[in-house]
């Protein structure tokens, strides 16, 4: 196990995309109580990004964490976007976020600017991990390879230098696809030592990650932090899958998983977190929430005993890959 994996030690963390008013306008007191609940339940790793509500999630997270001893928690944010004072019309995931204009830029100067802004919004003096955000096809279409090259000569070099100087513990990519992480791990001079893979190594969706990303990460000692373990809530009966509207096929998939879970009296949330955590390459799992009561559920999910017969039936029904390491006990 790498030093970084030992630092994270298969922890359960807290992802803050919902705190940027993703999908809905969250009252300030609810956001504050959610972060406080995470802290009070013992969570000590928090991930955020400028993109989440144009800095809203960072500000909300920082309002609580800045009151806590800095050496007692781990903190990560992302680069690839910075926020301007000028405003713009918002739509999409963060239509309810702040109306500040967000600029996408993976160059060295933009990376430094993004980090400076994040540190100020978070009310902290340092970051532990930094992820290069959304440099992938789902955000940039066919231009994503060009964006990756911009990041390689810009953000990757800045973050590698920061890691070498001890300013951060690690850096990598924070993406919703596997290929950018796979390509970055093949670089020689600017190799990430941790990456955040959202929605790609989950109970619902893991076959592609098992082909190359997870084995390579394990072999190289690169920690994989699993984000979006419930695939934007679809696994738990929500209306969204991977940040888009859940299709009938997705809902049918969830129904099949629920049928097996019902026969074994298993909670799918428990199974989802334990599945994502079970792979040796997984350094942490960071479900997100904007409701205080969900935090205790996430914590207890990793402690619940799940019968081996549940996993065996999922394998028999072809609902999980036979290549996937399964939770033990």
């Amino acid at each position: 196990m790498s030093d970084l994996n030992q630092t994270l030690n298969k922890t359960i963390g807290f992802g803050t995309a919902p705190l940027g008013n993703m999908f809905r306008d969250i009252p300030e007191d609810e956001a504050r109580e959610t972060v406080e609940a995470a802290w009070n339940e013992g969570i000590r790793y928090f991930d955020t990004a400028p993109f989440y509500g144009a800095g809203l999630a960072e500000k909300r997270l920082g309002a609580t964490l800045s009151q806590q001893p800095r050496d007692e928690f781990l903190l990560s944010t992302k680069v690839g976007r910075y926020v301007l004072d000028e405003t713009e019309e918002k739509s999409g995931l963060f239509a309810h976020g702040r109306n500040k204009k967000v600029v996408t830029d993976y160059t060295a100067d933009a990376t430094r600017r993004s980090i400076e802004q994040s540190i100020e919004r978070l009310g902290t003096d340092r970051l532990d991990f930094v992820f290069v955000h959304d440099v992938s096809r789902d955000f940039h279409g066919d231009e994503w390879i060009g964006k990756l090259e911009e990041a390689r000569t810009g953000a990757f070099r800045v973050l590698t230098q920061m890691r070498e100087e001890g300013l951060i513990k690690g850096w990598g990519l924070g993406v919703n696809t596997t290929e950018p992480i796979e390509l970055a791990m093949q670089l020689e001079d600017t190799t990430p030592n941790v990456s955040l893979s959202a929605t790609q190594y989950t109970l619902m969706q893991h076959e592609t990650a098992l082909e190359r990303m997870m084995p390579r990460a394990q072999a190289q000692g690169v920690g994989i932090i699993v984000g979006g373990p419930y695939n934007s809530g679809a696994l738990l009966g929500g209306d969204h899958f991977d940040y888009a509207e859940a299709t009938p096929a997705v809902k049918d998939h969830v129904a099949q998983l629920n049928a097996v879970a019902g026969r074994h009296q298993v909670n799918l949330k428990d199974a989802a977190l334990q599945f994502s955590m079970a792979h040796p390459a997984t350094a942490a799992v960071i479900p997100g929430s904007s409701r205080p009561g969900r935090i205790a559920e996430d914590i207890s999910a990793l402690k619940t005993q799940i019968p081996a017969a549940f996993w065996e039936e999922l394998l028999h029904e072809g609902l999980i890959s036979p290549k996937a390491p399964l939770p033990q006990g």
Side-chain angles (χ1 to χ4, degrees), residues 177-205:
T177 58
T178 63
E179 193 173 5
I181 295 175
E182 295 163 18
L183 291 174
M185 285 191 289
Q186 297 176 43
L187 299 175
E188 294 184 2
D189 297 331
T190 55
T191 309
N193 60 333
V194 62
S195 280
L196 199 168
S197 175
T199 74
Q200 295 300 297
Y201 192 72
T202 71
L203 188 64
M204 288 189 73
Q205 181 169 252

Side-chain angles (χ1 to χ4, degrees), residues 66-82:
S66 61
Q67 307 303 311
Q68 305 298 340
R70 183 60 184 88
D71 290 341
E72 291 189 13
F73 62 91
L74 297 170
L75 181 61
S76 62
T77 192
K78 304 180 183 73
V79 296
R81 297 183 177 97
Y82 59 86

